Each structure stands twice: as C-alpha cells, then as structure tokens.
Amino acid sequence: MPARHDRSAIEPVIPRESDLTLVKLLIKLDLLKPPFLQQKHIFSEFAPIAHFGHLGIFDEGEAIGKVAAHLKTERFEPSDGDQDRIAKLLESEPFSEIPLIIWRRCRAIPVAVSSSEVTVAIANPLDLESIRSLEQSLNRRVRAVVGRETEIIALISRTVELKDALDFNEFLQESAQSTASPTGPSGPESSITAEDISAPTVVRLVNKIFAGAILKGASDLHVTPEQKVVRVRIRIDGIMRDLMEVPAGYSTAVVSRIKVLCGMDITERRHPQDGRLRLKTSQGVRDLRVSTVPTIHGENLVARILATDFSRLDLDALGMQPVLLERFKKVLRSSSQIHLICGPTGSGKTSTLYAALMHLKDGTQNIVTIEDPIENRVSGITQIQVSEKIGLTFPKALRSVLRQDPDVIMVGEIRDADTAATAVQVAQTGHVVISTIHTNTAAGAVTRLRDLGVPSFMIASSLGSVLAQRLVRKLCKNCKGEAEPAERERLRRLLIPEQNAHGPVGCEICDYTGYRGRVGIFSYLEIGPELSAAIREEKGERVIEALALEQGFISLGESAAEIIASGTTSLSEVERVMGQLDTSAKGTLQNGAVAVQGEGQTGAICKRRILVADDDENVRMVYKLLLEQHMYEVEEATNGFEALEAIYRRPPSLLVLDLMMPKMNGLEALERLRQDPQTRNIPVLMLTAAATDENELNLLKHGADDFVSKTANSDIILARINRLLSSC
C-alpha cells in the first residue's frame, strides 16, 4: 500500500554478496574492468548484468550467453506460448505456495518442473541464497538457467495482471452499472464520495492505477475526468497510452485518495494544488510529483513518476558520441563559466543536468542546486526549493548561495532576465554554473540570452558551452525489422547510409509498439576564442554555427543521421520528434542552407525557401508560379502576423513582403524583424504598388534590403531576388 512521502534523501543500498560475486565473474569474462568492483558502480534496482547492460557498457544478451557458457548452464529465452504456460505453472502446486512478490524479489521464475527438479530462470545465477530458499520452499532441487531480467520481471508482472484482471474488470463493470443513469446523460449522484477514500474499493483502485503505471515503466500518470468515465492514461517513452477507464462516480474519491497520500487539501477543489508521494514498489522506490487542476468534470490529476535510484544517471549512459562526451566532461571541470543544456520540454534536459551533477559529485566540491520544483533528492548535494510565495526567487537564491562557499551551482532553468543576468554574473566570480534554457538549437542559446537582456560581452566572457538535445525512441531489439522501401528511398535522398537502417515491427516485449526505451540526440557547442569574438561582435546564429562547423561542430541533424544509420532508431521516429529532415548526413538541420556535404559527395543541392507575404491571392499565385519554375520552394502568408509566425516556425532564405496589408502591414513586420536578433539578418524584398522615391527611401531606412514594384517585369524581380540571395 502506498506510504506517505519521506522527505529525506535515499541513501544507496549496499549490494548483496551475490551481486559482488557476479561482478567479479563479469570482470573475469572481460565484460567489465576492475574499477567496476567498487560499490558505487553497482547500486541499482537491477541485478548486475541488466544494470550494466542498461548503462550500455556491454550487450546484455551477449553477457548472458558468456555467463551461461562459463557456468555450463542454459540460457532462458521465452517463446510466444510461455506466458500462459508459466502462469498455469505458478498457480499449481507447489509453486502457488510461494507469493509472486518472492519470485520478483529473487528476480526468478519457474520454467519447467519434474518430480525431483525445478528449472528456474534467474537474473543472477550466482544468487545461491535465493536458490537455496526456493529449494526449501519447493522441496525439490533447483536448476538455475540464466535469463534476461526484464523478460523475467515482465513475465511475473503479466502473470499478476492475468491473475487479477478478470476479478478487477468484473468489479469495474458492476460499478459502472450501479452508477449508470436510467434517465439522462448526467447520471445520479455517486454513492462514492470524498469521505469514502479509505473504502477498500477505492484503496484497491488507486493501488491498481499506481501499480499499472509503474510496472509498465511510465514517466507520467494522467487521471482525466470526463462526463461518463475517468480516463487513466500513462506516458511511456514520450507517447501517451490508455491504461484503464474508471466509472465517473469514482472520480472524486480516486483523486481525493491520491491527494491525501500526497498531503494535499482534499476540501480545496477550486484551485490548483501540488504535492509529492513516495512509493516503495517491486520495481524499486518511486517519487511521484503530483499536480491537480479543476476542470468542468472534476479535478484533473497528473503525476510525474521519478526513480530515486540515480545509478543510471551517468554521463556515459546518455548515448553521447565519445568525442563529444570527453569534451563535455572536460569543460565541466573548468571554472568561471556557465554551461547550458537546451531543448524543448520533454527532451531530457533534467536527466542530463543531474547526470552532470553526479559526474561532479566526487566529495571534493560543494555543490548547490536551486530548483523549482526539486525533481530528484540527492544525498551529498545541497538543494534549495524556490518559493515565489515567500519571495525566494531564483536571483535571490543565487545571490544568497554565493555566501555558502559553493564550487558548482545548478540552476534548474533560466526563465527570466533577472535569473539570466545573475547566473552570468555568478559564473564570472569563479564558479561553475550549470542550467537549462528553452531553445531549439545550441547557437540559439546565445540569442536567447541576448533577448533576456544579457550584454553580448558578458555572454562572450562567461558562456562555456551549450548542449542541445532531443529524445527519440529506440527500436525494440527483439523485433525490429527491415526499413520500409519508402523510408529507404528517403534515406538515399538524404544521403544517410541505409545498410543498417531498420524499422518498427512490434512484439509482446515492446507492447506491440516496435519501440522500447529512448536515446538522446546531441549537438554540442563549445565556446572557443573565435566563437567568443563572434558573440562579442553580436553575430547572428548562422554566423556562430558556421564558425562552429569549421571547428568540428556536430549539428542535431548530423547526430540524428548517425543514430539512424546505426539502426538504433528509425527515420520516421526522428522526424516525429525533430520535424522533416531536409539535409544529408553531413549537413545540418538549419534552414536556408543551399549545399550539403554527403559522404563522398561534393555538394548536394537543396532548394532555398522564399516566404511571400501579400494579402492579394493573385499576387501570391503569380510569385509562386514564377519562383517554383526557377527551383525555389515557396511559402505564403496573407498578412504581417502570419509572416512573423511562419518565420519563427521556420526561417526562410528570403522574405518578399508587401507594404500594404491588413492586421499588420509590411512596414510594421519589417520593424519587428529588424529588432529581433534572431531575424534581423533575413533578407527582405519589399513590394508596393506605389513605386515612389519617398516610399523607397522610407523602406530602406527601416531596414529593407531592396524594393520592387508589383508591376515590374518578372526578369527584374528574379534578378533582385537572386542578387539578395547571393549576397547572404
């Protein structure tokens, strides 16, 4: 049963002797190096083979094969019919006498039985204590075979679900019938109220919801009330999935039960609330950060599920390219610099942030974090919770922390001008500052800091590096197949090697999605002397990135191409997260590029994109036909607002802008473009029906690059466009 959240930090659990013995065997088999015998490397909710396999130190399947061969035993690989067979086996004598929680604790499951012997698949075949305990309970000799831990746990978990499903579904059906309305859609008032939050049915229902989410490895749990049902959904690998539906009559009781466990006020249903909860489960200890908001059908509840085991929060396990990883580790040890991690929401910035902290947490430095909220509680690090209610803001906390003799300061997120300015100033006083910022590219972080009011000379002198990242789902190793012909054709056109390209298929292990787990795509920008000078001179993102490319900068596009070519994920998954790729493996994902370098290629050409903004449909049509005929890609907008939205969504190579338009005219749009450092370098060709000297002078003063009459000859229009594009 869920317990109240313990606010103390979790100390690592000392590994069992059998785990240490298995680690020694892995070293003997040359799968690990001797330093991994240190206890700090094997604190985990998993047994050693699965643990180091998840870290990417070796292939788990290969390690299992070597261990099985060394111990002269077999390897267990479940087939399609094993689920039903093992479920029946667990319900029969003598296995039914052993609770499933014991099997899960041993990371073992029976796979065959005879009159004198039981064959048991186990994650740690050297766990003699568990094997002897099973022998005593079963009164038979146990023969251990080696199995993949995740497969063993999945079989146990699905057995629990099969055993419980019929009974629980009947309970939900009876509840739905008892609360169904015979007269209208609104239904009668439910007999289940907030006062019934300790009723066995409600407790069981909430426990079922928590258990289902955690067993399936969800990162988020959503309880969403609707008119007739309560939808319970979970997010796995960034994708929302349905978990179950609960009768609408249980909405108040379920949410109230969770609120009580989180220490929230169950009488307050008109305002949003936040709370925390710690659960001890068979999958390890989990922290839940819970949020509720009122909706028209009741309170909507979302819980972020956080693991308290940080053994896998390691920079080596994030999937960075080796060269990039070494450079990142090196700059983290520098002083008087700020290092930023950027990307959209859900791109894994927080995990990378904590992995960097765990890398620096060696006992020789005083590390202080300032967060809102505190995502993970870590022993050995001073963590400060920001609270706007009491006036403890990010800037105020930052200034106070300087009196605490810190070596490393982590700021959860740079959100506003005060936080940005203070963080940069703190970095210049000799401290290492690590933080996150919301931008799409690494070079975009420089522009964002400028937008927040930080002077360019301060950015140039204090910014050490920027790591941009995305998260994509990995193809399931058990079932991935050949990429579809259409996807292979796309890969050829993008100049991405297709020899190892694969696509999703779907199996029981990946819940028929074709994907299992996620991996990062990284782009790392280290600020050296040349880039620092460019920032000081207020150069734009394109210039900064062009300089970085000359020094070996790897863009998100290149990183994505490498991970597709390795067969780790698919092109369709990368484009789901990052948008359509339009360059080769050696190009970038930045807009406006003309030539891209491919493996063995001297210059693959890609179309330049022109945005035409005019309220006259006929004018737009004429320009579209003219430009597409000369191999330009054309996008259209009907006014200044639409043009700006299109530009911030995807900057064009050139903007053709009409002077007179509704909502926002061309002059207003031009002024906004030139005021924003992100857009000030986009070439603009102004269109007008009144081709007067006065108009031309006024537009040039406001930043137009050129000016042309709507009635001008098509050759003149093309000549002006080509001149502008060739000069940028």
Side-chain angles (χ1 to χ4, degrees), residues 400-421:
S400 300
V401 160
L402 291 178
R403 296 189 285 272
Q404 297 290 310
D405 186 31
D407 296 297
V408 179
I409 302 172
M410 186 267 269
V411 181
E413 182 185 346
I414 293 180
R415 303 175 179 173
D416 51 55
D418 287 343
T419 305

mmCIF file of all heavy atoms in Angstrom, residues 400-421:
data_model
loop_
_atom_site.group_PDB
_atom_site.id
_atom_site.type_symbol
_atom_site.label_atom_id
_atom_site.label_comp_id
_atom_site.label_asym_id
_atom_site.label_seq_id
_atom_site.Cartn_x
_atom_site.Cartn_y
_atom_site.Cartn_z
ATOM 1 N N SER A 400 22.230 34.566 -2.543
ATOM 2 C CA SER A 400 22.440 34.038 -1.192
ATOM 3 C C SER A 400 23.408 32.862 -1.198
ATOM 4 O O SER A 400 24.206 32.691 -0.268
ATOM 5 C CB SER A 400 21.097 33.597 -0.587
ATOM 6 O OG SER A 400 20.201 34.679 -0.519
ATOM 7 N N VAL A 401 23.349 32.060 -2.246
ATOM 8 C CA VAL A 401 24.192 30.870 -2.329
ATOM 9 C C VAL A 401 25.670 31.240 -2.373
ATOM 10 O O VAL A 401 26.534 30.484 -1.902
ATOM 11 C CB VAL A 401 23.797 30.039 -3.572
ATOM 12 C CG1 VAL A 401 24.907 29.083 -3.995
ATOM 13 C CG2 VAL A 401 22.526 29.256 -3.295
ATOM 14 N N LEU A 402 25.996 32.404 -2.913
ATOM 15 C CA LEU A 402 27.395 32.818 -3.004
ATOM 16 C C LEU A 402 28.055 32.908 -1.638
ATOM 17 O O LEU A 402 29.276 32.784 -1.518
ATOM 18 C CB LEU A 402 27.495 34.170 -3.723
ATOM 19 C CG LEU A 402 27.163 34.166 -5.222
ATOM 20 C CD1 LEU A 402 27.244 35.562 -5.793
ATOM 21 C CD2 LEU A 402 28.105 33.236 -5.966
ATOM 22 N N ARG A 403 27.260 33.103 -0.590
ATOM 23 C CA ARG A 403 27.801 33.174 0.769
ATOM 24 C C ARG A 403 27.929 31.788 1.405
ATOM 25 O O ARG A 403 28.316 31.674 2.558
ATOM 26 C CB ARG A 403 26.927 34.079 1.636
ATOM 27 C CG ARG A 403 26.926 35.525 1.171
ATOM 28 C CD ARG A 403 26.236 36.435 2.152
ATOM 29 N NE ARG A 403 24.783 36.294 2.111
ATOM 30 C CZ ARG A 403 23.982 36.970 1.300
ATOM 31 N NH1 ARG A 403 24.516 37.835 0.441
ATOM 32 N NH2 ARG A 403 22.682 36.790 1.314
ATOM 33 N N GLN A 404 27.573 30.730 0.625
ATOM 34 C CA GLN A 404 27.658 29.362 1.126
ATOM 35 C C GLN A 404 28.905 28.630 0.618
ATOM 36 O O GLN A 404 28.998 27.413 0.732
ATOM 37 C CB GLN A 404 26.407 28.585 0.693
ATOM 38 C CG GLN A 404 25.109 29.116 1.267
ATOM 39 C CD GLN A 404 25.000 28.847 2.758
ATOM 40 O OE1 GLN A 404 25.209 27.727 3.202
ATOM 41 N NE2 GLN A 404 24.680 29.887 3.521
ATOM 42 N N ASP A 405 29.857 29.360 0.057
ATOM 43 C CA ASP A 405 31.116 28.812 -0.423
ATOM 44 C C ASP A 405 30.910 27.664 -1.407
ATOM 45 O O ASP A 405 31.437 26.563 -1.224
ATOM 46 C CB ASP A 405 31.969 28.337 0.767
ATOM 47 C CG ASP A 405 33.371 27.896 0.337
ATOM 48 O OD1 ASP A 405 33.885 28.465 -0.645
ATOM 49 O OD2 ASP A 405 33.926 26.971 0.966
ATOM 50 N N PRO A 406 30.135 27.890 -2.489
ATOM 51 C CA PRO A 406 29.905 26.803 -3.451
ATOM 52 C C PRO A 406 31.034 26.694 -4.476
ATOM 53 O O PRO A 406 31.741 27.668 -4.754
ATOM 54 C CB PRO A 406 28.607 27.228 -4.138
ATOM 55 C CG PRO A 406 28.703 28.727 -4.144
ATOM 56 C CD PRO A 406 29.435 29.119 -2.878
ATOM 57 N N ASP A 407 31.218 25.510 -5.015
ATOM 58 C CA ASP A 407 32.100 25.314 -6.163
ATOM 59 C C ASP A 407 31.279 25.190 -7.450
ATOM 60 O O ASP A 407 31.663 25.716 -8.490
ATOM 61 C CB ASP A 407 32.939 24.044 -5.979
ATOM 62 C CG ASP A 407 33.879 24.146 -4.795
ATOM 63 O OD1 ASP A 407 34.755 25.019 -4.825
ATOM 64 O OD2 ASP A 407 33.715 23.363 -3.841
ATOM 65 N N VAL A 408 30.165 24.459 -7.362
ATOM 66 C CA VAL A 408 29.276 24.236 -8.508
ATOM 67 C C VAL A 408 27.870 24.640 -8.110
ATOM 68 O O VAL A 408 27.378 24.253 -7.042
ATOM 69 C CB VAL A 408 29.290 22.759 -8.946
ATOM 70 C CG1 VAL A 408 28.335 22.542 -10.119
ATOM 71 C CG2 VAL A 408 30.693 22.310 -9.318
ATOM 72 N N ILE A 409 27.213 25.416 -8.975
ATOM 73 C CA ILE A 409 25.835 25.844 -8.725
ATOM 74 C C ILE A 409 24.983 25.383 -9.896
ATOM 75 O O ILE A 409 25.293 25.671 -11.061
ATOM 76 C CB ILE A 409 25.722 27.373 -8.571
ATOM 77 C CG1 ILE A 409 26.609 27.863 -7.420
ATOM 78 C CG2 ILE A 409 24.271 27.789 -8.332
ATOM 79 C CD1 ILE A 409 26.704 29.368 -7.322
ATOM 80 N N MET A 410 23.918 24.668 -9.585
ATOM 81 C CA MET A 410 22.977 24.249 -10.628
ATOM 82 C C MET A 410 21.691 25.059 -10.491
ATOM 83 O O MET A 410 21.082 25.081 -9.430
ATOM 84 C CB MET A 410 22.666 22.760 -10.513
ATOM 85 C CG MET A 410 21.810 22.243 -11.671
ATOM 86 S SD MET A 410 20.036 22.278 -11.341
ATOM 87 C CE MET A 410 19.790 20.657 -10.638
ATOM 88 N N VAL A 411 21.310 25.742 -11.569
ATOM 89 C CA VAL A 411 20.057 26.493 -11.620
ATOM 90 C C VAL A 411 19.094 25.701 -12.495
ATOM 91 O O VAL A 411 19.402 25.417 -13.658
ATOM 92 C CB VAL A 411 20.276 27.908 -12.193
ATOM 93 C CG1 VAL A 411 18.959 28.678 -12.215
ATOM 94 C CG2 VAL A 411 21.307 28.659 -11.369
ATOM 95 N N GLY A 412 17.936 25.327 -11.931
ATOM 96 C CA GLY A 412 17.009 24.457 -12.657
ATOM 97 C C GLY A 412 16.683 24.937 -14.055
ATOM 98 O O GLY A 412 16.685 24.165 -15.006
ATOM 99 N N GLU A 413 16.416 26.237 -14.200
ATOM 100 C CA GLU A 413 16.059 26.773 -15.523
ATOM 101 C C GLU A 413 16.256 28.273 -15.536
ATOM 102 O O GLU A 413 15.932 28.964 -14.555
ATOM 103 C CB GLU A 413 14.603 26.446 -15.844
ATOM 104 C CG GLU A 413 14.145 26.923 -17.207
ATOM 105 C CD GLU A 413 12.668 26.689 -17.454
ATOM 106 O OE1 GLU A 413 12.041 25.918 -16.695
ATOM 107 O OE2 GLU A 413 12.120 27.277 -18.408
ATOM 108 N N ILE A 414 16.792 28.799 -16.624
ATOM 109 C CA ILE A 414 16.890 30.249 -16.818
ATOM 110 C C ILE A 414 15.623 30.695 -17.524
ATOM 111 O O ILE A 414 15.436 30.438 -18.707
ATOM 112 C CB ILE A 414 18.147 30.612 -17.630
ATOM 113 C CG1 ILE A 414 19.402 30.290 -16.816
ATOM 114 C CG2 ILE A 414 18.124 32.081 -18.027
ATOM 115 C CD1 ILE A 414 20.700 30.607 -17.517
ATOM 116 N N ARG A 415 14.725 31.341 -16.765
ATOM 117 C CA ARG A 415 13.403 31.686 -17.289
ATOM 118 C C ARG A 415 13.235 33.165 -17.596
ATOM 119 O O ARG A 415 12.400 33.545 -18.415
ATOM 120 C CB ARG A 415 12.325 31.309 -16.262
ATOM 121 C CG ARG A 415 12.318 29.854 -15.844
ATOM 122 C CD ARG A 415 11.303 29.629 -14.749
ATOM 123 N NE ARG A 415 11.235 28.235 -14.328
ATOM 124 C CZ ARG A 415 10.528 27.804 -13.294
ATOM 125 N NH1 ARG A 415 9.813 28.656 -12.587
ATOM 126 N NH2 ARG A 415 10.530 26.521 -12.977
ATOM 127 N N ASP A 416 13.961 34.016 -16.865
ATOM 128 C CA ASP A 416 13.706 35.454 -16.989
ATOM 129 C C ASP A 416 15.009 36.226 -17.001
ATOM 130 O O ASP A 416 16.104 35.667 -16.826
ATOM 131 C CB ASP A 416 12.815 35.934 -15.835
ATOM 132 C CG ASP A 416 13.346 35.504 -14.472
ATOM 133 O OD1 ASP A 416 14.513 35.813 -14.180
ATOM 134 O OD2 ASP A 416 12.599 34.859 -13.709
ATOM 135 N N ALA A 417 14.882 37.533 -17.203
ATOM 136 C CA ALA A 417 16.058 38.387 -17.347
ATOM 137 C C ALA A 417 16.889 38.434 -16.071
ATOM 138 O O ALA A 417 18.123 38.391 -16.125
ATOM 139 C CB ALA A 417 15.623 39.795 -17.751
ATOM 140 N N ASP A 418 16.233 38.520 -14.898
ATOM 141 C CA ASP A 418 16.966 38.604 -13.630
ATOM 142 C C ASP A 418 17.791 37.341 -13.391
ATOM 143 O O ASP A 418 18.956 37.414 -12.981
ATOM 144 C CB ASP A 418 15.992 38.817 -12.461
ATOM 145 C CG ASP A 418 15.419 40.224 -12.441
ATOM 146 O OD1 ASP A 418 16.003 41.097 -13.116
ATOM 147 O OD2 ASP A 418 14.402 40.452 -11.750
ATOM 148 N N THR A 419 17.180 36.175 -13.645
ATOM 149 C CA THR A 419 17.902 34.914 -13.446
ATOM 150 C C THR A 419 19.078 34.809 -14.409
ATOM 151 O O THR A 419 20.176 34.392 -14.020
ATOM 152 C CB THR A 419 16.963 33.714 -13.649
ATOM 153 O OG1 THR A 419 15.834 33.842 -12.781
ATOM 154 C CG2 THR A 419 17.674 32.410 -13.338
ATOM 155 N N ALA A 420 18.860 35.191 -15.665
ATOM 156 C CA ALA A 420 19.934 35.120 -16.664
ATOM 157 C C ALA A 420 21.101 36.021 -16.276
ATOM 158 O O ALA A 420 22.265 35.596 -16.296
ATOM 159 C CB ALA A 420 19.388 35.516 -18.033
ATOM 160 N N ALA A 421 20.797 37.267 -15.910
ATOM 161 C CA ALA A 421 21.858 38.217 -15.561
ATOM 162 C C ALA A 421 22.626 37.762 -14.325
ATOM 163 O O ALA A 421 23.862 37.817 -14.290
ATOM 164 C CB ALA A 421 21.251 39.602 -15.328
#
